[in-house]
């Protein structure tokens, strides 16, 4: 069959944006964030997708993936996914390759919606008009004053029902930090994220302290690769605390294994890592089959539309670093109001337009 909307160009570029202050979590510290933006062109329209990765993801898109997609019908996203996944078989389909595929997939979905003149949420079919978000940041590099100010603003200014802070780089200081966070947010829900920094025993001890401060969610108390450890902690946590993980799932098999292990109370997935919009939709189907809620990880402007379309969605992470960066680089970036974000149904696709001149300052 002759393609109705043959792809004429697929390309990507990487941009490195400094953070507004040094940031750190339980296992890593950073002062800048790299965003890789993919664009796909067909039928006089351009679709946009992106991932948070390394600059090499853009090279992979341009050198290996884009040539395979030339002439493919822009509406045949499953065919495009299959083709580019086969291309990375021998170099490894996780990590940088998974992020490159995710950015291209999102660009194709944005393009398809634009070709039909629809916001992506309408094309996918909406289950909800808005997406609840939780404010996320609270980096271990912050002093207690900045921690209180940031978390408190999400509750007071943005109406967030929950906020999340990082722990684990200095566990001996974490009790003081958690107490400061609780004092700043009043009765709002408090989440903690160790990014896999703790041992099983230390995580259990931390959970007891967290329960005293009415923490509701403990993310990656141990490494997400330790499925047995996550299951152990899920079984032994105070009943008021849920275990969450999944942001490092690169494909459906990673998510399936986590769900089958009974490792989490809430499954996380990240469309910038797990195969784009296609991968996130499939992750949602797996969660529904396992009767486990799904939470979207970071990149709120990319997740906004698809999060309106999937069942069992709990909420979406409104991550400080990405909220700031997306507002800098995209017109139409998502902004929280009354604790939620909403797709702009007056704009086609993801509703995003690259601020090319502003982005050029940060080009790698």
């Amino acid at each position: 069959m002759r393609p109705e909307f043959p792809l004429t160009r697929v390309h990507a570029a990487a941009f490195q944006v400094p953070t507004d202050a040094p940031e750190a979590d339980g296992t890593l510290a950073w002062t800048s964030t790299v965003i890789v933006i993919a664009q796909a062109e067909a039928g006089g329209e351009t679709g946009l997708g992106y991932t948070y990765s390394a600059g090499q993801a853009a090279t992979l898109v341009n050198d290996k993936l884009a040539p395979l997609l030339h002439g493919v019908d822009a509406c045949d996203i499953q065919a495009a996914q299959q083709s580019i996944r086969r291309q990375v078989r021998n170099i490894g389909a996780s990590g940088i390759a998974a992020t490159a595929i995710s950015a291209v997939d999102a660009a194709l979905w944005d393009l398809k919606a634009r070709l039909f003149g629809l916001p992506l949420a309408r094309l996918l079919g909406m289950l909800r008009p808005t997406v609840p978000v939780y404010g996320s940041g609270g980096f271990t590099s912050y002093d207690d004053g900045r921690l209180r100010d940031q978390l408190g603003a999400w509750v007071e200014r943005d109406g967030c029902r929950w906020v999340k802070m990082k722990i684990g780089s200095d566990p001996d200081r974490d009790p003081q930090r958690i107490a400061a966070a609780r004092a700043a947010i009043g009765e709002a829900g408090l989440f903690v994220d160790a990014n896999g920094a703790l041992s099983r025993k230390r995580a259990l001890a931390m959970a007891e302290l967290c329960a005293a401060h009415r923490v509701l969610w403990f993310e990656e108390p141990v490494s997400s690769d330790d499925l047995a450890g996550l299951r152990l902690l899920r079984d032994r946590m105070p009943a008021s605390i849920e275990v969450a993980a999944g942001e490092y799932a690169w494909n459906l098999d990673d998510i399936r294994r986590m769900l089958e292990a009974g490792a989490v109370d809430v499954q996380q997935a990240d469309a910038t890592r797990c195969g784009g919009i296609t991968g996130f939709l499939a992750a949602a189907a797996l969660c529904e089959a396992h009767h486990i809620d799904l939470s979207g990880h970071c990149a709120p402007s990319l997740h906004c539309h698809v999060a309106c379309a999937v069942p069992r969605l709990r909420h979406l992470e409104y991550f400080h670093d990405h909220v700031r960066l997306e507002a800098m680089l995209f017109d139409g970036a998502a902004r929280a109001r009354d604790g939620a974000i909403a797709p702009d149904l007056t704009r086609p696709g993801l509703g995003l337009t690259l601020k090319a001149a502003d982005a050029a300052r940060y080009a790698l």
Side-chain angles (χ1 to χ4, degrees):
M1 292 178 61
R2 185 175 181 178
E4 185 174 2
F5 299 108
L7 287 163
T8 55
R9 187 172 185 239
V10 175
H11 60 103
F15 306 87
Q16 185 168 352
V17 181
T19 58
D20 59 357
E23 297 175 355
D25 59 30
T27 56
L28 191 66
W30 63 98
T31 57
S32 65
T33 299
V34 174
I35 182 172
V36 174
I37 301 173
Q39 293 182 295
E41 301 173 14
E45 298 285 351
T46 300
L48 179 151
Y50 60 92
T51 184
Y52 293 100
S53 184
Q56 289 84 352
T59 302
L60 181 60
V61 171
N62 295 330
D63 291 353
K64 297 293 185 182
L65 307 187
L68 292 176
L69 297 177
H70 185 80
V72 172
D73 196 311
C75 294
D76 294 340
I77 297 174
Q78 292 288 359
Q81 267 264 9
Q82 186 177 75
S83 177
I84 58 181
R85 283 192 177 279
R86 286 174 176 169
Q87 178 71 0
V88 301
R89 185 192 68 187
N90 288 340
I91 64 173
S94 299
I96 288 175
T99 61
I101 290 169
S102 298
V104 170
D105 181 89
L108 292 175
W109 276 104
D110 183 45
L111 174 59
K112 184 174 182 176
R114 290 174 184 271
L115 288 168
F116 286 98
L118 292 170
L120 181 58
R122 290 289 190 205
L123 181 66
L124 296 173
M126 296 178 68
L127 282 173
R128 60 189 64 82
T130 63
V131 182
V133 297
Y134 64 88
S136 173
F139 302 106
T140 59
S141 50
Y142 286 177
D143 61 28
D144 288 357
R146 180 157 192 164
L147 176 72
R148 287 191 297 265
D149 289 345
Q150 186 184 70
L151 271 58
W154 280 319
V155 175
E156 296 299 325
R157 181 193 63 217
D158 299 325
C160 292
R161 294 163 52 194
W162 319 275
V163 299
K164 187 172 81 179
M165 61 182 290
K166 302 290 191 179
I167 64 171
S169 60
D170 185 359
D172 292 335
R173 195 168 72 89
D174 284 333
Q176 170 191 329
R177 298 177 62 249
I178 293 170
R182 171 50 67 195
I185 65 172
E187 296 303 310
L190 180 59
F191 300 169
V192 298
D193 181 2
N195 287 97
L198 304 177
S199 67
R200 296 180 186 183
K201 291 284 190 181
R202 189 123 202 194
L204 282 173
M206 185 65 71
E208 294 176 4
L209 180 142
C210 286
H213 291 286
R214 306 192 306 284
V215 170
L216 303 176
W217 158 298
F218 201 153
E219 184 175 331
E220 285 193 323
V222 295
S223 169
S224 57
D225 292 326
D226 183 8
L227 297 182
L230 286 171
R231 176 59 189 263
L232 172 72
L233 291 166
R234 183 188 179 196
D235 289 342
R236 295 186 60 183
M237 284 276 182
S240 58
I241 299 179
E242 293 181 304
V243 172
E247 67 182 79
Y248 298 113
W250 305 109
N251 53 55
L252 287 185
D253 285 325
D254 290 341
I255 294 171
R256 175 184 55 80
R257 282 188 286 266
M258 187 167 281
L259 290 167
E260 288 178 349
V264 293
D265 295 295
V266 181
Q267 178 71 46
Q268 293 176 286
D270 187 333
T272 75
R273 294 173 177 168
C274 72
I277 304 301
T278 301
F280 196 84
L281 290 169
L286 280 177
C287 288
E288 186 175 22
H290 284 82
H291 307 283
I292 293 289
D293 284 355
L294 172 66
S295 179
H297 174 261
C298 292
S301 294
L302 187 88
H303 282 99
C304 183
H305 284 255
V306 69
C308 287
V310 296
R312 296 198 70 102
L313 184 92
R314 176 77 67 87
H315 40 45
L316 177 61
E317 184 168 7
Y318 195 67
F319 184 53
H320 168 72
D321 211 4
H322 295 178
V323 170
R324 172 179 170 269
L325 186 153
E326 289 166 12
M328 291 170 63
L329 299 189
F330 302 125
D331 180 50
R335 298 297 299 182
R337 292 180 179 84
D338 298 324
I341 59 174
D344 184 347
L345 300 181
T346 68
R347 302 172 71 136
L350 291 169
L352 301 175
T353 303
L354 178 64
K355 300 177 183 178
D358 293 340
R361 299 169 51 202
Y362 304 107
L364 284 175

